[in-house]
Amino acid sequence: MAKAGNSEGGARRRPTGSGRGRAVGAGKRGPGAGDVGGAGTPSVELTAKLEPRKGPAKVPLNTRVLASTEARLTWLVNDRQSTVTNVVDVALQEFFDRCSVPPADHDGRITEQES
């Protein structure tokens, strides 16, 4: 039996763009995302969205979860118009609080509290 392949005789490849590995909601634009003010200058709303936001430092966290967990996460992100980063951060903070993990400072260091 011959191997399945393309017209050039090579192996078939999976189609790209399956959605895996992309951020949830990637490619979606909010209302007014393309609005510009008069004379070619950006509107106030657009300018406010483009200004850099200074927030707490973030670091990458890679993990694997059950497919059922990912489905629930995706549903929550879509339902609450949130981001995976925010949902995971809130969930982990609540879990750490329940487990009495001491808080970390802004540099990510935990200072052990004496009892």
Side-chain angles (χ1 to χ4, degrees):
M1 179 177 267
K3 284 187 180 178
N6 61 22
S7 61
E8 287 81 35
R12 287 188 184 172
R13 301 179 78 183
R14 284 183 36 204
T16 58
S18 65
R20 308 247 57 189
R22 293 186 316 191
V24 175
K28 294 182 182 176
R29 296 175 63 178
D35 296 342
V36 288
T41 58
S43 66
V44 174
E45 294 83 14
L46 182 59
T47 303
K49 288 180 184 178
L50 295 176
E51 290 178 6
R53 295 183 180 152
K54 185 74 174 166
K58 295 180 181 176
V59 297
L61 174 67
N62 297 319
T63 188
R64 297 179 67 84
V65 296
L66 295 173
S68 58
T69 302
E70 186 214 13
R72 294 176 77 193
L73 176 60
T74 301
W75 183 92
L76 183 63
V77 166
N78 291 333
D79 185 67
R80 303 291 166 91
Q81 296 180 347
S82 186
T83 64
V84 171
T85 299
N86 289 342
V87 171
V88 169
D89 190 60
V90 168
L92 285 172
Q93 293 299 333
E94 289 186 16
F95 178 73
F96 294 150
D97 290 346
R98 288 182 191 171
C99 293
S100 301
V101 175
D105 63 16
H106 292 294
D107 295 323
R109 285 175 274 183
I110 296 177
T111 53
E112 292 296 328
Q113 300 171 351
E114 296 180 23
S115 16

